[in-house]
C-alpha cells in the first residue's frame, strides 16, 4: 500500500507546474543566467534567443549525425519522459500483473484530470488510447448514422480517417460528399464556404482536419463548427498536428469530437493518443472495443483495450510537465520563428523555389512544404538526406508537390542553414 500511495502522489504532482530548470542541468552559472533572463522576455523575443533554445536542446537525445526535420511524423520525447518510461518499465517487470493493475493503473485518473485541465475540458470527456487513428476511428465507426445520411469531407483529410468513412459507406450505406479545397490559402471564407455549400437536409456530420498533414494548413474549425451547429450537424475534428503545437484549448474549436496523438507535439512516448467528445454525445457512440455497457455515458468505455502498456501511458505525465514548463505560447512562437527563418530564406534562393504553405500566422505554424520546379517531392527529400543527412518527408497530393519540413524546439538555426544549403544545391540540378 505504501508503494501504491507513493506512485499516486507522484502522478498527481503534475498539478504543481514545474520550471524549465526541472529538466536541464543548471550547474553551470551561464545556464542559470540564461534561464533567469529568459523569464524577462516576451515569447516573440525569446523565439530568437539561440542561447536559450540551445539550453532547451539539452533535454533531448536527438542524433548529432542526422538533422531531424520530420518532427510532424513523430516527435522525440524529452529525456525526462524517456527516463520515466524506462523506470516504469523496470518497475512493472518486477511483477507485471501486480504493479501494472494494482499500482500504475491507479495513476490514470489523476492523469486524466491533468490532461483535461491542459485541454480546457472536463475529465469526464477525455479517454486515453494509442493514437489519432484509434481515437477518430472510434468516433467514425461508432457514431449513430444510417443509410442515406451524408458526411462532408475532403481528399486532404488523413488517409486512415478516410478509410474509416469509406468503410461506413460500404457497410451502412452512408453518403460521402467530397469538397475541393485550394491549398495553400490564407482566406478563411475560401476554406469555410466549400463545407457550407455542400450541406443538405441529409447532412449529419462534417469531418475537418485542424492542421492538414500534407502542407500544414490550419483550417478554420470554429467557423465551420458554428455554421454546422446552426443546422444540427455534428463536427469531427482531427487534431493530430495541433495539440501542444499551437496555443489553444479544445473548446476553442467548437467541435463535437476531437482526436489527437500525444506522441507528436506533446512528446509523450510513442503509442499515446487522446479522444475527446462532448459529454452529451458519449452515450450514443459505440466503443471500438466492446465492453459490457456500450451505451453508457461514461467516457471510460472507450478505454476497454485489454492489456495495455501502463508504462507508456503513465509517462504522459512527464511530457505534460515539460510542456507546462516550456509554455504553449513560447513553444508556438519558437516553432513559427524557425519555419519563417528557413522558408523566407529559401524563397530568396531561386525563382524555382516555392513554399506551398501559407506563411500567415493564422493559417500555419511549424509544418511547411518546400517545392522546387522540375523536381518531385521524393527527389527533394531523398537528396536532402543522401547528401546532407537531413530527414524530411515527401508530400505529393493534388496541388502539393514537395518536401515537408518540420523543425522542433531543439532545432537550431545552424540546422536550418544546412537545410538552406541543400535547397540551394537542389536548385542547381
Amino acid at each position: 500500500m505504501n508503494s501504491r500511495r507513493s506512485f499516486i502522489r507522484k502522478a498527481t504532482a503534475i498539478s504543481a507546474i514545474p520550471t524549465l530548470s526541472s529538466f536541464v542541468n543548471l550547474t553551470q552559472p551561464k545556464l542559470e543566467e540564461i534561464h533567469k533572463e529568459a523569464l524577462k522576455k516576451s515569447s516573440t523575443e525569446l523565439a530568437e534567443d539561440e542561447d536559450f533554445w540551445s539550453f532547451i536542446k539539452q533535454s533531448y537525445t536527438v542524433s548529432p549525425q542526422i538533422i531531424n526535420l520530420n518532427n510532424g511524423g513523430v516527435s522525440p520525447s524529452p529525456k525526462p519522459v524517456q527516463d520515466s518510461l524506462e523506470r516504469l518499465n523496470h518497475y512493472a517487470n518486477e511483477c507485471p500483473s501486480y504493479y501494472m493493475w494494482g499500482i500504475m493503473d491507479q495513476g490514470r485518473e489523476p492523469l486524466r484530470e491533468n490532461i483535461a485541465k491542459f485541454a480546457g475540458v472536463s475529465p469526464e470527456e477525455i479517454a486515453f488510447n494509442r493514437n489519432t487513428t484509434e481515437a477518430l476511428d472510434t468516433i467514425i465507426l461508432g457514431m449513430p448514422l444510417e443509410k442515406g445520411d451524408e458526411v462532408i469531407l475532403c481528399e486532404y483529410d488523413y488517409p486512415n480517417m478516410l478509410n474509416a468513412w469509406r468503410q461506413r459507406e460500404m457497410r451502412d450505406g452512408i453518403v460521402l460528399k467530397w469538397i475541393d479545397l485550394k491549398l495553400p490559402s490564407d482566406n478563411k471564407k475560401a476554406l469555410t464556404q466549400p463545407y457550407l455549400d455542400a450541406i443538405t437536409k441529409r447532412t449529419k456530420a462534417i469531418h475537418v482536419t485542424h492542421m492538414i498533414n500534407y502542407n500544414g494548413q490550419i483550417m478554420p474549425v470554429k467557423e465551420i463548427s458554428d455554421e454546422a451547429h446552426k443546422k444540427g450537424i455534428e463536427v469531427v475534428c482531427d487534431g493530430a498536428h495541433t495539440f501542444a503545437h499551437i496555443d489553444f484549448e479544445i473548446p476553442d474549436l467548437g467541435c463535437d469530437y476531437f482526436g489527437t496523438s500525444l506522441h507528436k507535439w506533446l512528446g509523450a512516448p510513442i503509442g499515446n493518443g487522446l479522444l475527446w467528445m462532448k459529454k452529451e454525445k458519449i452515450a450514443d457512440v459505440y466503443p471500438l472495443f466492446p465492453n459490457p455497457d456500450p451505451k453508457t455515458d461514461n467516457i471510460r468505455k472507450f478505454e476497454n483495450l485489454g492489456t495495455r502498456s501502463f508504462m507508456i501511458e503513465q509517462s504522459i505525465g512527464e511530457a505534460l510537465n515539460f510542456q507546462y514548463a516550456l509554455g504553449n505560447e513560447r513553444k508556438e512562437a519558437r516553432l513559427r520563428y524557425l519555419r519563417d527563418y528557413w522558408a523566407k530564406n529559401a524563397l530568396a534562393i531561386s525563382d524555382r523555389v516555392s513554399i506551398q504553405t501559407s506563411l500567415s500566422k493564422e493559417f500555419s505554424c511549424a509544418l511547411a512544404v518546400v517545392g522546387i520546379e522540375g523536381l518531385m517531392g521524393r527527389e527533394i527529400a531523398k537528396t536532402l538526406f543522401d547528401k546532407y543527412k537531413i530527414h524530411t518527408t515527401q508530400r505529393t497530393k493534388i496541388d502539393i508537390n514537395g518536401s515537408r519540413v518540420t523543425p522542433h524546439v531543439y532545432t537550431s538555426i545552424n540546422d536550418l542553414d544546412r537545410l538552406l544549403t541543400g535547397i540551394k544545391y537542389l536548385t542547381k540540378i
Side-chain angles (χ1 to χ4, degrees):
M1 287 300 294
N2 287 336
S3 59
R4 173 172 168 173
R5 285 195 292 268
S6 174
F7 181 82
I8 295 174
R9 281 198 300 271
K10 290 178 182 178
T12 54
I14 189 173
S15 59
I17 297 175
T19 63
L20 288 167
S21 57
S22 307
F23 302 100
V24 294
N25 176 14
L26 285 180
T27 57
Q28 299 180 44
K30 183 180 180 183
L31 293 183
E32 290 183 358
E33 182 181 338
I34 290 170
H35 181 234
K36 290 177 182 177
E37 288 301 311
L39 298 178
K40 301 176 184 177
K41 296 182 177 182
S42 69
S43 297
T44 303
E45 292 172 324
L46 194 60
E48 303 180 27
D49 186 339
E50 293 307 306
D51 284 341
F52 174 78
W53 295 101
S54 64
F55 155 79
I56 296 301
K57 189 171 185 175
Q58 293 182 47
S59 292
Y60 289 86
T61 59
V62 292
S63 170
Q65 283 78 40
I66 296 174
I67 297 175
N68 181 18
L69 294 179
N70 185 25
N71 292 283
V74 180
S75 293
S77 294
K79 186 66 162 55
V81 179
Q82 297 179 47
D83 291 344
S84 171
L85 180 58
E86 184 175 353
R87 182 176 65 253
L88 292 175
N89 188 55
H90 286 305
Y91 186 40
N93 278 282
E94 291 182 13
C95 185
S97 64
Y98 169 71
Y99 283 116
M100 287 198 306
W101 280 287
I103 297 179
M104 291 186 193
D105 194 34
Q106 306 308 309
R108 181 176 296 122
E109 294 311 313
L111 180 61
R112 192 189 313 276
E113 291 178 9
N114 289 316
I115 201 84
K117 182 178 180 180
F118 177 79
V121 299
S122 166
E124 296 304 314
E125 298 174 325
I126 289 284
F128 295 106
N129 49 37
R130 292 173 291 188
N131 49 50
T132 311
T133 295
E134 187 173 296
L136 292 180
D137 279 2
T138 297
I139 296 161
I140 294 167
L141 298 177
M143 288 176 67
L145 297 173
E146 300 176 351
K147 184 176 181 179
D149 288 346
E150 296 177 352
V151 176
I152 299 169
L153 64 173
C154 80
E155 290 286 358
Y156 280 116
D157 293 321
Y158 197 70
N160 286 356
M161 288 77 213
L162 299 186
N163 290 339
W165 283 119
R166 289 184 178 114
Q167 182 169 303
R168 286 222 66 171
E169 180 184 41
M170 181 186 302
R171 186 185 71 188
D172 300 319
I174 68 169
V175 177
L176 303 183
K177 298 194 69 176
W178 301 87
I179 64 164
D180 292 323
L181 289 179
K182 304 299 180 185
L183 303 183
S185 175
D186 56 7
N187 185 321
K188 189 174 290 186
K189 184 174 181 180
L191 294 170
T192 304
Q193 200 61 44
Y195 291 93
L196 307 185
D197 290 344
I199 292 174
T200 72
K201 292 181 179 180
R202 304 208 68 170
T203 304
K204 299 298 182 182
I206 295 175
H207 182 104
V208 61
T209 304
H210 194 191
M211 179 182 282
I212 290 173
N213 94 90
Y214 292 103
N215 77 330
Q217 176 78 52
I218 296 177
M219 295 293 292
V221 180
K222 181 66 164 64
E223 287 75 10
I224 294 169
S225 296
D226 287 349
E227 292 302 315
H229 289 158
K230 291 177 184 178
K231 299 185 179 183
I233 298 167
E234 296 183 325
V235 176
V236 178
C237 180
D238 179 343
H241 283 284
T242 51
F243 193 78
H245 175 179
I246 60 176
D247 188 14
F248 76 102
E249 293 183 343
I250 294 174
D252 297 339
L253 304 177
C255 58
D256 302 281
Y257 309 93
F258 179 90
T260 192
S261 294
L262 302 181
H263 52 237
K264 287 186 183 288
W265 293 99
L266 187 64
I270 298 166
N272 273 310
L274 187 72
L275 163 67
W276 171 85
M277 68 175 67
K278 289 180 178 177
K279 179 65 176 177
E280 62 268 25
K281 306 290 182 182
I282 296 172
D284 290 333
V285 178
Y286 280 97
L288 192 62
F289 300 99
N291 66 23
D293 188 5
K295 298 297 287 183
T296 180
D297 66 352
N298 190 327
I299 192 72
R300 293 158 190 81
K301 73 181 183 181
F302 300 116
E303 296 174 342
N304 193 41
L305 186 61
T307 302
R308 61 200 297 160
S309 177
F310 296 97
M311 301 78 79
I312 288 176
E313 180 183 276
Q314 285 304 302
S315 294
I316 295 171
E318 283 293 348
L320 192 54
N321 271 337
F322 192 86
Q323 178 77 13
Y324 270 127
L326 190 57
N328 290 0
E329 188 178 339
R330 287 187 290 204
K331 182 176 182 178
E332 179 180 343
R334 175 61 175 180
L335 293 173
R336 188 171 283 108
Y337 170 74
L338 293 173
R339 190 282 313 277
D340 284 347
Y341 178 87
W342 78 260
K344 291 177 180 180
N345 279 292
L347 286 171
I349 290 173
S350 168
D351 291 340
R352 290 181 61 197
V353 176
S354 64
I355 301 300
Q356 299 171 19
T357 302
S358 169
L359 297 184
S360 168
K361 180 178 179 179
E362 186 177 3
F363 295 101
S364 65
C365 194
L367 278 72
V369 170
V370 59
I372 298 175
E373 184 181 358
L375 297 178
M376 295 297 293
R378 63 178 178 275
E379 297 174 278
I380 299 171
K382 185 176 187 305
T383 301
L384 286 174
F385 188 80
D386 290 348
K387 189 170 178 63
Y388 298 95
K389 290 298 177 281
I390 298 172
H391 175 52
T392 62
T393 184
Q394 71 90 17
R395 283 292 179 264
T396 304
K397 182 75 171 181
I398 310 176
D399 296 327
I400 306 296
N401 176 33
S403 183
R404 193 186 73 188
V405 175
T406 316
H408 208 301
V409 294
Y410 62 81
T411 304
S412 70
I413 291 299
N414 287 337
D415 294 336
L416 298 180
D417 284 339
R418 186 164 178 82
L419 170 67
L420 292 168
T421 297
I423 292 172
K424 186 173 183 179
Y425 170 81
L426 283 160
T427 64
K428 306 298 183 183
I429 295 177

